[in-house]
Amino acid sequence: MKRVKAACICQTLHFMLKDGVEHDLAVQQVKADVEHYKKTLERNRTLYRIVEQTTQPDGSIVVKVIKQYNTSPVGDYLQTL
């Protein structure tokens, strides 16, 4: 028999600008999308750690995140490196 002792998932998310929208408005929407993503993680009580958040020259945002996989224990995955 086996049991999951700890599990996390590492993701790199690219929040891209929407086509057909004025640049400044598209940048604002991307920032709002990132904040919404973080609030959704918190609302769902998903344990997570943002490893890196980088704004690209075009205004899009790349977020590297380690987050809890389903409801599995996270072990020491979320400790700072």
Side-chain angles (χ1 to χ4, degrees), residues 18-79:
K18 295 181 180 159
D19 293 331
V21 178
E22 181 185 329
H23 184 266
D24 292 338
L25 180 58
V27 169
Q28 289 176 353
Q29 288 176 342
V30 165
K31 289 178 183 178
D33 288 346
V34 170
E35 290 306 311
H36 180 265
Y37 175 73
K38 291 177 185 178
K39 287 180 183 177
T40 300
L41 289 172
E42 291 170 4
R43 186 175 346 112
N44 294 335
R45 294 188 176 112
T46 301
L47 300 175
Y48 72 97
R49 181 168 57 93
I50 302 293
V51 178
E52 183 178 339
Q53 181 172 323
T54 308
T55 302
Q56 303 301 302
D58 68 349
S60 63
I61 299 175
V62 174
V63 177
K64 293 183 180 181
V65 62
I66 298 173
K67 65 180 186 174
Q68 183 177 25
Y69 182 72
N70 294 333
T71 56
S72 299
V74 296
D76 61 355
Y77 285 113
L78 299 180
Q79 292 177 356

